[in-house]
Amino acid sequence: MVYHWQSHNVKLSGVDDMVLLPKISEDAIVENLKKRYMDDYIFTCIGPVLVSVNPFKQMPYFGEKEVEIYQGAAPYENPPHIYALADDMYRNLLIDNESQCVIISGESGAGKTVAAKYIMSYIARISGGGARVQHIKDVILESNPLLEAFGNAKTVRNNNSSRFGKYVEILFGNGGQPEGGRISNFLLEKSRVTMQNLGERNFHIFYQLCTGASVNMKKDFGLCQLDYYHYLSYGGSHKVEGTNDAHDFQETLKAMNVMGLTDQEQSNILQAVAGILHLGNVMFLEKGNYSEIQDQNALAFPSFLFEVDQNHLQSKLTSRRFDSKWGAQSDTIDVTLNVEQALYTRDALAKGIYARLFDYLVKVSITLSHAADVEVLLSKSRLVLHLSFS
């Protein structure tokens, strides 16, 4: 049994860096990854590229001990680890004063989101700074559970799949301490708001709100059992093994507090989420080839939560306005929709509201520094995390 000279009780399994394989082939690479995976080594290098195999369980080597081992160590002193990759990027950023980028790519369930978390948490641990810098670190780290609640969902392959892509920038001062950051999102899977495949769920926040809201919040938002909501009925099951939605809701509220959202802003956000759930329960019936609201009571709550006139919302769901021009003349025509068109309009409204709500949360998450600092920060080095969507 052979051990790395610096790492204690670390058995060598397969080849740490697959450029050292005697024969480079697909079978040899897969066999090496499998051998290491069976020995609970999920990280393997291919030169500067780190390959990670999702173990679907909590591994024991992400604590303070590992931070101390990899901080400042040479690349080949220790076994491959995401901390080694993060440390190498951070040191290059400080020494060369050049921006660094890591692209995290893989299929759904490969562990991209968790990998980004570990990189950001490692950088937050080893970089210095005072109280203001610590606040920025907190905001950077707490942006994860907030965006996960609104942008992640259970799929058939992954219980916490990111249904959006994101581009994260962390900006550093001359001393290596984080001074700000930005997050850009793209490709949010809006269709999930109104429909999911069998065995999947809607975005986490809907289940968190229904199960974790306080009694007063449930009363104010008219929240009921999960089975009551049409938009949550497609997947077949609301439960996810190993997930406590009520507990996660408290983590989401904590993240909102760290982001600096006021109680009123938090209430407005959750009010919009509840409004989307109630909007999905608005059904239509056909009358003379045109659509009508089946139950006015079902329309009352989304109107109340969206703070719009009920008659106005009804008009927008069951009719469409066309503006036409003939030369200098213009005319406006209201066309009544059939049931199929009304359902499409309802779903389009729900997806549009959710997409704008998500964009707002991303905007909140990227406001990590005072406006006066932005021009200065843009001229400083940055670490970029790019998570591809799959």
Side-chain angles (χ1 to χ4, degrees), residues 31-52:
E31 180 61 29
N32 187 66
L33 291 174
K34 180 180 178 182
K35 183 176 182 180
R36 292 178 59 79
Y37 175 79
M38 298 304 293
D39 287 335
D40 279 344
Y41 296 111
I42 63 172
F43 297 116
T44 308
C45 288
I46 307 179
V49 177
L50 182 68
V51 179
S52 173

Side-chain angles (χ1 to χ4, degrees), residues 18-37:
M18 289 191 286
V19 299
L20 301 177
L21 285 171
K23 182 180 179 181
I24 304 296
S25 66
E26 181 178 344
D27 290 341
I29 290 173
V30 171
E31 180 61 29
N32 187 66
L33 291 174
K34 180 180 178 182
K35 183 176 182 180
R36 292 178 59 79
Y37 175 79

Side-chain angles (χ1 to χ4, degrees), residues 1-14 16 36 39 41 79:
M1 186 177 293
V2 184
Y3 296 93
H4 284 267
W5 70 270
Q6 181 171 326
S7 303
H8 301 291
N9 299 322
V10 178
K11 181 183 69 172
L12 277 177
S13 177
D16 282 355
R36 292 178 59 79
D39 287 335
Y41 296 111

Side-chain angles (χ1 to χ4, degrees), residues 102-158:
V102 53
I103 298 176
I104 306 173
S105 181
E107 62 182 355
S108 179
K112 300 182 295 296
T113 301
V114 176
K117 286 183 188 177
Y118 280 130
I119 291 175
M120 289 190 285
S121 65
Y122 180 83
I123 297 297
R125 289 184 188 182
I126 67 172
S127 55
R132 177 179 175 277
V133 172
Q134 185 59 47
H135 171 69
I136 293 173
K137 292 179 182 180
D138 292 340
V139 172
I140 291 172
L141 296 178
E142 289 298 333
S143 67
N144 283 313
L146 180 59
L147 294 183
E148 282 186 21
F150 285 83
N152 287 26
K154 178 189 182 300
T155 65
V156 292
R157 304 181 65 183
N158 185 359

Side-chain angles (χ1 to χ4, degrees), residues 127-129 132-134 136-137 140 169-182 366-370 373-374 376-378 380-381:
S127 55
R132 177 179 175 277
V133 172
Q134 185 59 47
I136 293 173
K137 292 179 182 180
I140 291 172
E169 288 183 274
I170 305 174
L171 296 96
F172 295 85
N174 294 328
Q177 71 279 2
E179 294 193 0
R182 296 182 298 190
I366 67 177
T367 311
L368 307 182
S369 59
H370 299 293
D373 296 330
V374 172
V376 177
L377 290 174
L378 292 179
K380 297 183 179 179
S381 298

Side-chain angles (χ1 to χ4, degrees), residues 161-194:
S161 178
S162 297
R163 309 318 300 162
F164 68 103
K166 64 181 177 181
Y167 188 86
V168 183
E169 288 183 274
I170 305 174
L171 296 96
F172 295 85
N174 294 328
Q177 71 279 2
E179 294 193 0
R182 296 182 298 190
I183 301 175
S184 302
N185 72 292
F186 52 92
L187 294 176
L188 175 68
E189 190 184 27
K190 296 182 290 185
S191 60
R192 184 169 293 272
V193 175
T194 59

